[in-house]
Amino acid sequence: MEIRWLQAFVAVAEELHFGRAAARLQMAQSPLSQTVRKLEKDLGVPLFERNTRSVALTAGGHAFLPHAYHILESVETARQATRASAGGVYGRIKIGFTGVLNHLSLPPLTRALRQRYPDIELDLVGRIMTREAVTQLESGALDLAFVGLPVQSTAVATRLIRRESFGAVLPSDHPLAGESEIDLHELADDGFITTPLSAGSALQESAMRACLDAGFRPRVVQEITDPYMILVLVSAGVGVALMTSSIATITPPGTVFVPLAGESVYMHHGIGWSPRRVSPALEVALKVAEEILPTPD
């Protein structure tokens, strides 16, 4: 068994697509398939179910994945220890984030890490909702992730980094667009644009809870994974959306952000990581995060 076989397996397991995995590894698809088959032959079990339309992990693949992560982590730890003996901090941190919701948190953290620890490689993975982020932190596919709090996992540690109140994003020609604030129940008859319920988005869960507390179940007219595309669809007049206050400064033309009246409804932003997988690189990243993204009072 060779390290490159494990790297190939992990890439395909995460992408569930041989073409994307090959592009990620900067190799052709045919040699990648051959490498995976060598690993399967060595193990004596198939790791993937393949057909012309999809790729999925077999039971054996699911069982082998955490061990593959552990082996690759051990190799990386050995490499880091060797380099660290010469001074400095080396390593690789894979960070998951949602997208536009993290525009005030992700850039200052990554900028500080690159300036202070240039030998740490940052691998940024976008469009990762909270539920998926927790799953990938548990498995080791991610080292650090921006998540909505609270999370339901005893294997993931979290820290609050930001607390934001909700407001409504409305088309600029909406009857309430000119108001300084609105009651949420005034939108009860509007169509809402949200992230899919199945995506496990903390934003979506908080927004739905706020509507139910306001006395109505929102009528969802469009679901889309990318939060910024939600804003674009609002500008197109498809519907309205509930978003956090930081969005107010980056809404696209044709939209307005209007705060909600009454008792504030908050979304709690946090970072999450697995305490069982704290490498030297992640350890310094967490320390930098405490300084750059302190827990609010």
Side-chain angles (χ1 to χ4, degrees), residues 252-274:
T255 64
V256 295
F257 180 90
V258 183
L260 299 181
E263 185 176 353
S264 295
V265 179
Y266 291 100
M267 180 172 175
H268 297 86
H269 299 271
I271 55 173
W273 67 95
S274 172

Side-chain angles (χ1 to χ4, degrees), residues 32-94:
L32 173 62
S33 298
Q34 294 172 15
T35 299
V36 171
R37 292 191 185 282
K38 288 179 181 178
L39 177 60
E40 291 176 319
K41 183 177 179 180
D42 184 78
L43 293 171
V45 296
L47 299 173
F48 296 102
E49 295 176 354
R50 308 164 175 85
N51 59 48
T52 57
R53 302 184 63 180
S54 66
V55 176
L57 283 165
T58 62
H62 280 290
F64 186 62
L65 184 58
H67 298 287
Y69 280 134
H70 179 70
I71 294 169
L72 293 177
E73 287 170 2
S74 297
V75 172
E76 183 60 27
T77 298
R79 183 181 291 114
Q80 292 173 18
T82 303
R83 291 174 174 174
S85 65
V89 180
Y90 294 80
R92 179 172 175 264
I93 305 173
K94 198 168 186 178

Side-chain angles (χ1 to χ4, degrees), residues 3-289:
I3 295 299
R4 64 187 181 90
W5 296 2
L6 298 178
Q7 292 170 333
F9 165 68
V10 167
V12 177
E14 292 180 353
E15 299 290 345
L16 293 179
H17 190 283
F18 276 85
R20 289 195 298 268
R24 170 171 150 184
L25 296 172
Q26 298 182 333
M27 63 187 299
Q29 185 171 333
S30 179
L32 173 62
S33 298
Q34 294 172 15
T35 299
V36 171
R37 292 191 185 282
K38 288 179 181 178
L39 177 60
E40 291 176 319
K41 183 177 179 180
D42 184 78
L43 293 171
V45 296
L47 299 173
F48 296 102
E49 295 176 354
R50 308 164 175 85
N51 59 48
T52 57
R53 302 184 63 180
S54 66
V55 176
L57 283 165
T58 62
H62 280 290
F64 186 62
L65 184 58
H67 298 287
Y69 280 134
H70 179 70
I71 294 169
L72 293 177
E73 287 170 2
S74 297
V75 172
E76 183 60 27
T77 298
R79 183 181 291 114
Q80 292 173 18
T82 303
R83 291 174 174 174
S85 65
V89 180
Y90 294 80
R92 179 172 175 264
I93 305 173
K94 198 168 186 178
I95 303 176
F97 67 101
T98 302
V100 69
L101 296 179
N102 309 123
H103 77 282
L104 294 180
S105 304
L106 178 67
L109 177 61
T110 55
R111 189 180 303 114
L113 285 171
R114 286 191 167 114
Q115 290 174 348
R116 302 181 193 185
Y117 300 98
D119 292 318
I120 293 179
E121 178 185 352
L122 301 180
D123 185 357
L124 306 181
V125 184
R127 297 186 182 181
I128 302 292
M129 301 294 177
T130 294
R131 185 187 303 161
E132 183 181 358
V134 170
T135 299
Q136 293 200 28
L137 289 170
E138 291 173 336
S139 70
L142 289 176
D143 301 299
L144 185 68
F146 289 87
V147 296
L149 301 179
V151 301
Q152 306 300 320
S153 174
T154 57
V156 174
T158 62
R159 181 173 65 80
L160 177 68
I161 61 170
R162 191 175 184 86
R163 185 185 295 111
E164 291 187 62
S165 59
F166 272 92
V169 182
L170 310 175
S172 55
D173 58 356
H174 191 282
L176 300 175
E179 300 295 323
S180 59
E181 60 179 22
I182 59 175
D183 289 316
L184 182 52
H185 67 78
E186 294 182 84
L187 300 177
D189 294 330
D190 282 88
F192 280 73
I193 307 168
T194 73
T195 54
L197 178 63
S198 60
S201 165
L203 172 74
Q204 193 265 5
E205 293 174 359
S206 299
M208 288 296 173
R209 192 181 313 116
C211 291
L212 293 174
D213 290 344
F216 70 96
R217 181 177 293 277
R219 177 171 58 89
V220 177
V221 296
Q222 181 72 52
E223 292 183 337
I224 190 165
T225 303
D226 187 340
Y228 191 76
M229 287 306 299
I230 290 178
L231 303 179
V232 173
L233 291 179
V234 172
S235 71
V238 175
V240 303
L242 292 184
M243 286 284 182
T244 54
S245 56
S246 65
I247 297 297
T249 60
I250 59 171
T251 53
T255 64
V256 295
F257 180 90
V258 183
L260 299 181
E263 185 176 353
S264 295
V265 179
Y266 291 100
M267 180 172 175
H268 297 86
H269 299 271
I271 55 173
W273 67 95
S274 172
R276 297 176 298 177
R277 296 185 174 88
V278 179
S279 64
L282 180 56
E283 183 176 5
V284 298
L286 292 172
K287 290 179 180 178
V288 172

